[in-house]
């Protein structure tokens, strides 16, 4: 199984930047996707598929960049506004195979991003 944990949230001025990090641990046979969500409704911000295909929320396009390196997934956030204030969560969906294959998912605990205007 896989576990993920976020870090990097904090207070930033409008127009500023912040970089969130998601550390993953464990094993997966296949990663379907991994990405960032925010708010109580866990709305999509940015997501990477196992094939490297990127999906962004319209509000994130041109401002946010998701990337992956080894066991880390990053969300670079630029030109932040007060509307970006939220708890950001890292989430992954993956397939784990032993005797049988199962589709599983994992959520991080969240990291708070507060943008002051």
């Amino acid at each position: 199984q896989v576990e993920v944990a976020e870090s990097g949230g904090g207070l930033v001025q409008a127009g500023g930047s912040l970089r969130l990090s998601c550390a993953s641990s464990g094993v997966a046979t296949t990663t379907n996707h991994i990405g960032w969500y925010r708010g109580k409704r866990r709305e999509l911000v940015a997501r990477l598929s196992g094939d490297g295909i990127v999906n962004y929320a319209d509000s994130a396009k041109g401002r946010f960049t998701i990337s992956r390196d080894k066991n880390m997934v990053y969300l670079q956030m630029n030109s932040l506004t007060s509307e970006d204030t939220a708890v950001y969560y890292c989430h992954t969906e993956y397939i784990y195979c032993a005797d049988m294959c199962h589709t599983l998912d994992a959520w991080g605990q969240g990291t708070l991003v507060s943008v002051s205007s």
Side-chain angles (χ1 to χ4, degrees):
Q1 293 99 302
V2 172
E3 293 183 348
V4 293
E6 310 92 336
S7 62
L11 178 64
V12 65
Q13 290 276 94
S17 298
L18 209 58
R19 189 192 194 194
L20 305 183
S21 299
C22 173
S24 63
S25 61
V27 294
T29 303
T30 303
T31 299
N32 289 341
H33 51 79
I34 187 166
W36 293 92
Y37 303 76
R38 70 186 183 189
K40 293 182 179 180
R41 295 158 76 173
R42 307 295 199 271
E43 297 177 331
L44 172 70
V45 178
R47 185 174 69 182
L48 272 172
S49 75
D51 296 327
I53 300 172
V54 182
N55 294 116
Y56 290 103
D58 287 342
S59 62
K61 292 178 181 176
R63 300 189 300 128
F64 294 1
T65 303
I66 187 171
S67 61
R68 187 172 191 174
D69 182 29
K70 299 178 182 178
N71 70 317
M72 303 295 294
V73 177
Y74 304 99
L75 184 67
Q76 178 65 47
M77 304 186 294
N78 299 325
S79 302
L80 287 163
T81 75
S82 60
E83 295 183 353
D84 296 314
T85 296
V87 176
Y88 285 69
Y89 301 90
C90 183
H91 173 261
T92 184
E93 181 185 285
Y94 61 98
I95 297 172
Y96 178 76
C97 299
D99 183 38
M100 300 175 62
C101 294
H102 302 274
T103 299
L104 304 170
D105 75 308
W107 287 96
Q109 80 288 348
T111 185
L112 176 62
V113 173
S114 297
V115 183
S116 62
S117 58

